[in-house]
Amino acid sequence: GENVEQHPSTLSVQEGDSAVIKCTYSDSASNYFPWYKQELGKRPQLIIDIRSNVGEKKDQRIAVTLNKTAKHFSLHITETQPEDSAVYFCAASIWNNDMRFGAGTRLTVKP
Amino acid sequence: DGGITQSPKYLFRKEGQNVTLSCEQNLNHDAMYWYRQDPGQGLRLIYYSQIVNDFQKGDIAEGYSVSREKKESFPLTVTSAQKNPTAFYLCASSIGGTGTGELFFGEGSRLTVL
């Protein structure tokens, strides 16, 4: 089955700096890659997703890139703000099959 | 107010007891899921259901059971056979099956076994 690895497990940046979180997946048939943000004590919420027919997607300060050949995808957050502090999860899924999540990255943005 | 509701938010259980966690959604979503969240392990799939009266095991189904008698409801029973049940449990739903789009999560239920 699909295996998703996520790095780093913790990340601390200064406000205004960029943050990058990387994930790798094992099953080349995976075609959907979402990213979820979970603030302390709250439910995970989708922040951006990408499908395998697209190499990059942006939404304001966040972007996701996908390298199908290398089987990895990354989340990029620019101009970080304290409210970006949260746990971020990547996931990979094959259409109508299991969605597997990475172990999460705890991002801390220092004011 | 549309959404997905889990109850109870906190639950304490003695060893050997079964407990049932409730999950209700009014989003008219076909698919529903149960995930377990432990520190440093991400979200692990327990069970999922794509349609009423049908459900599939996830990676860690042992010691758990579910039912899907109604589209809007997907309760999870943690049985005494689950060896380490203390965890945070998240229910989710989606319009279609996994990989078709966004998962909408409930606020979670924290189960503690005493």
Side-chain angles (χ1 to χ4, degrees):
Chain A
E2 176 65 276
N3 181 47
V4 178
E5 294 191 357
Q6 183 171 347
H7 301 280
S9 57
T10 60
L11 179 60
S12 181
V13 300
Q14 210 64 36
E15 182 177 358
D17 287 349
S18 294
V20 181
I21 303 170
K22 299 181 179 180
C23 289
T24 60
Y25 60 98
S26 61
D27 194 333
S28 56
S30 290
N31 56 11
Y32 177 64
F33 307 93
W35 285 89
Y36 286 83
K37 175 183 180 182
Q38 187 177 28
E39 296 178 15
L40 189 63
K42 296 190 177 179
R43 68 190 82 190
Q45 291 191 299
L46 180 73
I47 54 171
I48 196 167
D49 57 10
I50 192 168
R51 299 193 182 273
S52 58
N53 59 345
V54 176
E56 182 176 2
K57 185 176 179 181
K58 289 183 181 179
D59 183 3
Q60 298 183 337
R61 294 187 297 109
I62 60 173
V64 57
T65 58
L66 172 65
N67 183 327
K68 287 189 293 182
T69 303
K71 289 190 281 189
H72 68 70
F73 56 113
S74 301
L75 178 71
H76 304 254
I77 306 174
T78 59
E79 300 172 22
T80 53
Q81 301 167 5
E83 52 264 39
D84 294 329
S85 295
V87 178
Y88 292 81
F89 294 98
C90 63
S93 175
I94 303 169
W95 186 270
N96 271 337
N97 279 282
D98 288 354
M99 181 175 291
R100 301 296 176 92
F101 284 82
T105 296
R106 182 174 299 278
L107 173 64
T108 302
V109 179
K110 300 177 188 175
Chain B
D1 187 22
I4 184 163
T5 303
Q6 288 185 239
S7 64
K9 195 168 184 177
Y10 299 96
L11 185 60
F12 297 89
R13 183 193 102 175
K14 293 182 181 179
E15 281 194 27
Q17 289 181 332
N18 292 356
V19 293
T20 298
L21 308 181
S22 170
C23 179
E24 303 277 331
Q25 55 100 358
N26 61 5
L27 300 168
N28 200 32
H29 285 174
D30 288 318
M32 297 187 73
Y33 316 83
W34 276 103
Y35 286 92
R36 171 176 170 146
Q37 186 173 22
D38 295 286
Q41 294 196 47
L43 303 173
R44 293 185 291 166
L45 184 64
I46 305 172
Y47 270 99
Y48 66 101
S49 168
Q50 307 258 32
I51 56 172
V52 174
N53 292 323
D54 184 63
F55 47 83
Q56 307 295 328
K57 292 182 179 180
D59 291 331
I60 56 167
E62 186 175 350
Y64 299 98
S65 66
V66 293
S67 63
R68 187 86 186 276
E69 297 176 1
K70 298 185 296 182
K71 186 176 184 178
E72 59 269 24
S73 178
F74 191 41
L76 173 75
T77 297
V78 184
T79 75
S80 56
Q82 168 51 233
K83 298 192 186 317
N84 185 21
T86 294
F88 188 58
Y89 292 88
L90 283 163
C91 180
S93 68
S94 64
I95 293 175
T98 56
T100 62
E102 182 175 1
L103 292 181
F104 291 82
F105 286 91
E107 292 192 337
S109 294
R110 187 169 296 281
L111 172 63
T112 303
V113 174
L114 304 173

